[in-house]
Amino acid sequence: MNFFEHQDRAHQNTRRLGWLYLLSLVGIIGAIYLVLWLICRLILKANISLLSPGMFLSVAVPTLLVIGSGTLFKLIWLRRGGAAVAEDLGGRLVEPEQATVLEKQLLNIVAEMAIASGIPAPQVFVLDRETSINAFAAGNSPQKAAIGVTRGCLETLNRDELQGVIGHEFSHILNGDMRLNMKLIGLLHGILLIYILGRFVLQYSPDISFTSEKESNSGSNFLATIALGIALMAIGGLGYFFGRILQSAVSRQREFLADASAVQFTRNPDGLASALQKIESHANHARVLAPQAAAMSHLFFGEANTSWLSADWFATHPPTRQRLQRLSVSARQVPTEAVVGNAIASPSAPAQATSSAKVMGFASTIAASTVASNTSGVSKPRSQAPLTSSRSTPSPNARVAQVPESLQQGTETLEGAIAIAQSLMLDYQNPSVRAQQEALLQQTVPISLADLTIQSGKVLETSNPRLRLPLLDLAIPVLQQATVSELQQLFKVLQGLAIVDKRWSLTEFVIYTALQHRLQPRVTQPAIAATDTLDSVWQDCLMVLAAMARVGHTEPDTIAYAFRSGVYQLPGASTREIPTTTPNGNFNQLKSSLERLSSLSAKLKQAIVSACTIVALQDQTITLPESELLWAIATCLDCPLPPCLYFNGQKARLVVS
């Protein structure tokens, strides 16, 4: 089962959780109604029928309002993202320019795991008051994710062990567990409000003595109030009890998967196993003391709640012994293939990268560029079988290590990250255009920032161009800390740098579009319901595949064949009319298509990214322009990056199995 199938499974679990939530509401309303009826009959001596519509409404409406408002409030609060959860647990955001040596090591590991998993690097928090060994991942989406570690985790674990723990948390981001976990927090909070309401009723019930008949009636009311308060506490507590059981059951199912994914990311099962062993021997184990830890225990790497509720059914994590046993199996089965959607690819012989200025088939200007029509017919290509390989992808450490140290240091400050983003837009092929861009920088940004951008550009000019996108990945977490006005200024400068020569290159389009997608959602991100069919976006799928085909191929017949090979990878392609020519397009149309495709379900996004990968691999070579466009497509669709992007210009040898 791959990432997208896990995402789909997570969505199914979310739907089941919704039905269970509705069932729990019915049970709670029924229990409160029965208790209130018994109080009216036995204590207040009221002659009320067991089936009283009026009484039922007087119970159901307030109960739904209390639980619904509590759940809605918590879910709205959690929409702030993983940072809200981290701050609620007492977390402190790690800022690169102020980070200690250990915290910089943590940031480096997070960057490595982001590249290894192919998802955006999340914000990083440290729980300074927690001395135990634990970590968590939280957020509604990869763009709003946060990873937190305890102070004990940071100071006790070595680099390999910490990498294993962070890899485990990245799996929860990758496999769609976070969103389900956040919903669990909201649902439990709503049910818990019934218990809190009952405690409130008991606490503020009047203290009445019974000395007269009138006071005796008041005493009956008092007893009824006390009984109602106790009943609400019992019902709310029971609902929360079963909610915690559900929470724990869901969490336990995901932990083994997360451990296995961590091994895949780090290629080192011993690091994760050693971390688990240190938790067992640590004085505080994985216990988190923050008051909110109990409700959020399913988010953590280890068992955060060590009270009696953490035993058996309430355990949010499998026993450490079981996790270690499975890791010992993983140590003998570390995967050696690089899986790309439904394909597996491996590097082979080197291949020359072509210049991005000559690719795309999309003409210069972003507003009105068009492509020459290709009218060559082509027969239906043979569908690609699964692909195998004999070599693994580069380790995440190696990928980050290839980025020049001066540029890595630049990503530690906001000014440095902005300078790197701007330097990535400089033209390294045309000196006259480059001179115009540098002059524009000196006119539009502070002198210190302009100088830093130019210096970064000089380093980039002599570096492997394939390191530009990993470098941007390192800079984005810092750019996410910028204010709205700073981001607006950044995009204004980037756009100005791109149109100095009155045209957009592929690299400029990729960097600008990816930054917009990754940074602007932090300002505003409207909720869009996921679409489970390609019917309304079929033409957009064709536009993306056509762009991918034209980027990597030059001959009309080859372009057409690669395009149709990708089309036949899409779900339902056999029932649709396949165009006989490769569609024309420009950057504006491509961007609009990607925006519409972003509303698809995770499984359909997988199909599109896999189809694009098949198009790129038709000639068994991933060129620089192909890797840049594939990176942009995967980023805009919130998908993990295909491992073939890390082959540094080498051929991807395809072997039909």
Side-chain angles (χ1 to χ4, degrees):
M1 188 183 296
N2 62 20
F3 156 73
F4 300 94
E5 290 170 332
H6 285 301
Q7 285 271 20
D8 194 52
R9 179 72 61 85
H11 288 311
Q12 292 177 16
N13 287 338
T14 301
R15 287 191 288 269
R16 294 192 190 101
L17 181 63
W19 285 109
L20 288 172
Y21 179 62
L22 291 176
L23 185 61
S24 68
L25 287 181
V26 172
I28 289 173
I29 291 172
I32 294 176
Y33 176 83
L34 182 60
V35 167
L36 192 60
W37 180 81
L38 289 174
I39 290 174
C40 290
R41 291 297 298 256
L42 301 179
I43 298 179
L44 300 180
K45 309 300 182 182
N47 187 18
I48 298 178
S49 171
L50 180 61
L51 300 178
S52 172
M55 183 177 173
F56 178 79
L57 287 176
S58 65
V59 170
V61 173
T63 301
L64 289 174
L65 284 176
V66 170
I67 297 178
S69 61
T71 298
L72 185 61
F73 169 81
K74 196 68 173 181
L75 290 177
I76 291 175
W77 181 82
L78 290 172
R79 284 190 65 184
R80 293 166 52 201
V85 175
E87 291 168 0
D88 205 29
L89 290 167
R92 169 181 57 84
L93 178 65
V94 179
E95 299 180 3
E97 62 269 22
Q98 300 175 0
T100 64
V101 174
L102 289 176
E103 290 170 352
K104 286 183 179 179
Q105 175 181 263
L106 173 63
L107 292 175
N108 289 337
I109 291 174
V110 170
E112 292 166 6
M113 292 298 98
I115 293 175
S117 60
I119 57 179
Q123 291 182 298
V124 181
F125 291 79
V126 173
L127 308 184
D128 290 312
R129 294 190 294 272
E130 306 292 346
T131 59
S132 62
I133 303 175
N134 219 329
F136 69 89
N140 295 304
S141 68
Q143 279 66 40
K144 290 190 175 183
I147 280 182
V149 301
T150 61
R151 173 60 57 182
C153 182
L154 197 61
E155 296 177 348
T156 306
L157 302 184
N158 62 35
R159 197 185 197 286
D160 287 345
E161 293 163 348
L162 185 58
Q163 190 182 63
V165 172
I166 298 301
H168 174 102
E169 297 308 321
F170 262 89
S171 172
H172 288 308
I173 301 175
L174 187 69
N175 293 324
D177 300 338
M178 285 193 317
R179 190 175 183 86
L180 178 62
N181 288 338
M182 300 286 270
K183 288 182 182 295
L184 279 169
I185 294 174
L187 300 186
L188 285 177
H189 182 76
I191 294 175
L192 184 61
L193 279 187
I194 297 295
Y195 172 86
I196 295 173
L197 179 62
R199 190 173 63 182
F200 177 84
V201 169
L202 282 180
Q203 185 175 354
Y204 292 97
S205 294
D207 186 11
I208 302 175
S209 57
F210 314 114
T211 57
S212 67
E213 183 177 354
K214 181 177 179 180
E215 291 176 338
S216 178
N217 291 333
S218 298
S220 298
N221 294 334
F222 172 72
L223 290 176
T225 303
I226 292 295
L228 179 61
I230 294 174
L232 288 175
M233 287 184 64
I235 294 169
L238 190 63
Y240 188 74
F241 176 87
F242 286 109
R244 284 292 307 276
I245 291 178
L246 175 63
Q247 176 195 56
S248 301
V250 170
S251 177
R252 284 195 301 270
Q253 291 177 359
R254 313 301 294 175
E255 291 306 311
F256 289 128
L257 169 64
D259 285 345
S261 296
V263 172
Q264 181 181 0
F265 296 153
T266 64
R267 309 284 177 170
N268 181 15
D270 293 338
L272 183 59
S274 180
L276 288 169
Q277 291 169 346
K278 281 191 176 180
I279 288 177
E280 283 295 289
S281 60
H282 194 274
N284 293 324
H285 300 291
R287 184 184 181 189
V288 177
L289 300 177
Q292 296 80 5
M296 301 179 183
S297 58
H298 59 299
L299 300 178
F300 284 89
F301 172 75
E303 193 70 54
N305 181 21
T306 56
S307 66
W308 66 273
L309 286 177
S310 64
D312 299 330
W313 286 354
F314 284 99
T316 55
H317 294 68
T320 302
R321 179 177 298 178
Q322 289 184 18
R323 296 175 72 177
L324 288 171
Q325 286 175 346
R326 296 206 181 189
L327 284 174
S328 66
V329 174
S330 297
R332 299 189 296 271
Q333 299 177 350
V334 175
T336 58
E337 295 87 1
V339 181
V340 185
N342 63 344
I344 306 173
S346 75
S348 180
Q352 285 286 359
T354 60
S355 169
S356 64
K358 300 179 181 178
V359 299
M360 201 71 179
F362 286 24
S364 326
T365 60
I366 192 169
S369 59
T370 57
V371 243
S373 174
N374 170 35
T375 57
S376 301
V378 64
S379 59
K380 176 179 175 180
R382 178 173 54 85
S383 179
Q384 286 283 354
L387 310 171
T388 61
S389 76
S390 58
R391 291 178 58 184
S392 62
T393 56
S395 70
N397 311 56
R399 296 173 199 148
V400 174
Q402 292 174 11
V403 178
E405 186 176 354
S406 61
L407 295 179
Q408 290 190 46
Q409 292 174 351
T411 63
E412 296 177 359
T413 65
L414 180 58
E415 184 182 42
I418 292 175
I420 286 173
Q422 293 175 167
S423 66
L424 289 169
M425 300 290 281
L426 298 180
D427 193 319
Y428 297 102
Q429 304 294 327
N430 191 324
S432 63
V433 173
R434 172 81 169 272
Q436 294 179 58
Q437 290 176 322
E438 292 178 354
L440 176 66
L441 283 171
Q442 292 171 344
Q443 295 171 6
T444 56
V445 302
I447 296 298
S448 60
L449 179 57
D451 291 342
L452 188 57
T453 301
I454 294 171
Q455 291 173 9
S456 299
K458 291 179 180 177
V459 178
L460 277 172
E461 190 172 16
T462 59
S463 303
N464 184 343
R466 289 180 179 272
L467 297 178
R468 295 173 188 171
L469 299 183
L471 177 62
L472 188 62
D473 273 327
L474 294 177
I476 284 177
V478 182
L479 292 173
Q480 289 174 334
Q481 300 174 25
T483 63
V484 175
S485 60
E486 288 172 330
L487 290 178
Q488 290 173 341
Q489 175 63 17
L490 172 61
F491 285 117
K492 182 178 179 180
V493 172
L494 295 179
Q495 189 172 24
L497 292 172
I499 62 176
V500 160
D501 57 352
K502 305 297 189 294
R503 58 185 294 278
W504 285 73
S505 69
L506 174 63
T507 299
E508 291 167 343
F509 169 79
V510 165
I511 292 171
Y512 189 87
T513 303
L515 279 174
Q516 272 194 321
H517 182 77
R518 295 275 289 273
L519 297 180
Q520 287 190 346
R522 301 191 68 81
V523 179
T524 173
Q525 186 179 26
I528 301 175
T531 304
D532 293 323
T533 175
L534 295 179
D535 292 342
S536 62
V537 293
W538 182 251
Q539 294 302 318
D540 297 309
C541 294
L542 300 182
M543 175 61 64
V544 171
L545 292 175
M548 199 73 235
R550 294 185 184 279
V551 160
H553 310 283
T554 56
E555 296 297 327
D557 288 344
T558 309
I559 292 173
Y561 185 85
F563 167 70
R564 290 169 66 86
S565 295
V567 172
Y568 279 107
Q569 297 297 313
L570 297 176
S574 59
T575 63
R576 302 178 188 272
E577 183 178 353
I578 308 301
T580 57
T581 61
T582 306
N584 301 326
N586 57 48
F587 283 132
N588 267 340
Q589 293 171 327
L590 177 59
K591 184 178 178 181
S592 298
S593 292
L594 288 173
E595 289 174 352
R596 287 188 287 269
L597 293 176
S598 66
S599 65
L600 294 174
S601 65
K603 205 167 186 178
L604 288 180
K605 290 178 182 179
Q606 172 208 16
I608 295 171
V609 173
S610 296
C612 289
T613 306
I614 291 298
V615 172
L617 292 176
Q618 280 302 308
D619 58 359
Q620 305 184 25
T621 303
I622 300 293
T623 64
L624 176 60
E626 284 176 321
S627 68
E628 288 183 337
L629 182 56
L630 192 53
W631 184 84
I633 292 170
T635 297
C636 291
L637 297 185
D638 300 318
C639 293
L641 303 181
C644 60
L645 295 185
Y646 303 119
F647 294 154
N648 297 323
Q650 296 177 329
K651 282 190 176 181
R653 179 169 54 82
L654 313 183
V655 182
V656 179
S657 61

